[in-house]
Amino acid sequence: MIDPFGRAVSYLRVSVTDRCDFRCVYCMSENMTFLPKRELLTLEELDRLCSAFIDKGVKRLRLTGGEPLVRKNLMSMIKSLSRHLETGALEELTMTTNGSQLTRFADQLYDLGMRRINVSVDTINADKFKAITRWGSLDKVNAGIDAAVAAGLKVKINAVALKGVNDDEFDEMIRWTHGRGMDLTLIETMPLGEIEEDRTDQYLPLSQVRAQLSEKWTLEDIPYKTGGPARYMEVKETGGRIGFITPMSHNFCESCNRVRVTCTGTLYMCLGQEDAADLRAPLRSSPSNGPLYAAIDEAILRKPKGHDFIIDRDRKAPAVSRHMSVTGG
Ligand code: SAM
Ligand code: SF4
């Protein structure tokens, strides 16, 4: 799958559910309306869809959501997808999770061939954690991270940088993650979906964070890559890595290798654009994958050059109306 700008699409992120057991302030409103269950692809259909992308050259697959681990029987789908790891068609199967269910599932994930996961933790202060996630518990997530590490999974911590919320904690978070052999990635908040808060108040450019961290830590740019948009630095004092994902202050689209598919089978060629392709109809139209392959090919030819996120006080509406939990972070 090569797009019109010569970029090979080898990475698929799949949102297996739009539901979640948290209500993070920057991601969802407290009383979200979720999709009716009948709209969702079954796990078998999701498996077929993922497998079609693997046939077409996807090498890395990340399950996300909503919270992927709240989708019932997800382990059966992972078990089925792991056949592609065994044949070598798929190089990596990973997940982005809020960590709340990991005590229950970490061992199974490892047994099914998963080796790395990202866990989203924006703060290591229990009260703040409650305030950001509304419904989450830091103790539970910490127990989940312990279970994941014990199971043999490599854990990376993702934190959205939020002005006035967690910007006094990055030093502590470096010590916490690197002390446990985990990488830390900071992410700029993006204008996706209506939320109750004002995004201008939350937006913190990571260039500012880098300058702030450089006063305390020796940061060295390194070429380390995980296939995602993060740019990594080594923190000399800890020997650990810190990644920066800067969709707002630096446009990383030129090296974009990914597309996203939702739990209803909608393919988004870019996180920051509205254009999408329906894959559910071609998937259901025939037991053979011909129509599905054709729809995927046609959509890849429409992959846009990039996004154009802006957060400012004059522009109150989000750049993209769908929430991150729909497209999958
Ligand atoms: N529930 C899982 C989790 O929280 O890791 C997976 C889905 S969540 C939508 C994926 C990632 O997107 C999380 O790291 C979350 O912090 C991030 N995210 C959600 N809304 C965002 C936004 N508006 N801007 C930047 N990151 C966002
Ligand atoms: Fe749920 Fe993840 Fe969104 Fe938080 S960021 S509400 S955990 S989907």
Side-chain angles (χ1 to χ4, degrees), residues 178-199:
H178 292 184
R180 304 199 52 185
M182 305 188 290
D183 290 344
L184 172 67
T185 298
L186 300 178
I187 307 170
E188 283 173 339
T189 174
M190 289 173 254
L192 303 174
E194 290 289 351
I195 53 169
E196 280 109 4
E197 332 274 318
D198 182 346
R199 292 195 196 270

Side-chain angles (χ1 to χ4, degrees), residues 17-29 32 34 64-68 96-100 120 122 129 132-134 160 323-326 328-329:
T17 175
D18 63 328
R19 287 162 200 257
C20 188
D21 51 349
F22 290 5
R23 290 289 180 280
C24 302
V25 290
Y26 50 77
C27 180
M28 293 191 182
S29 65
M32 284 284 285
F34 294 107
T64 175
E67 173 48 40
T96 299
T97 172
N98 65 23
S100 68
S120 305
D122 300 323
F129 190 86
I132 295 176
T133 61
R134 291 196 185 105
V160 176
H323 288 89
M324 185 77 128
S325 53
V326 173

Side-chain angles (χ1 to χ4, degrees), residues 270-318:
C270 174
L271 178 65
Q273 302 279 359
E274 301 283 6
D275 189 27
D278 172 40
L279 300 181
R280 186 174 55 185
L283 179 86
R284 289 183 175 167
S285 71
S286 163
S288 100
N289 277 347
L292 182 57
Y293 291 150
I296 294 172
D297 287 342
E298 193 271 330
I300 298 296
L301 290 179
R302 299 205 314 264
K303 186 166 160 62
K305 192 162 180 202
H307 67 243
D308 186 20
F309 289 138
I310 301 170
I311 294 183
D312 64 32
R313 289 201 184 272
D314 298 333
R315 190 162 132 164
K316 282 279 175 246

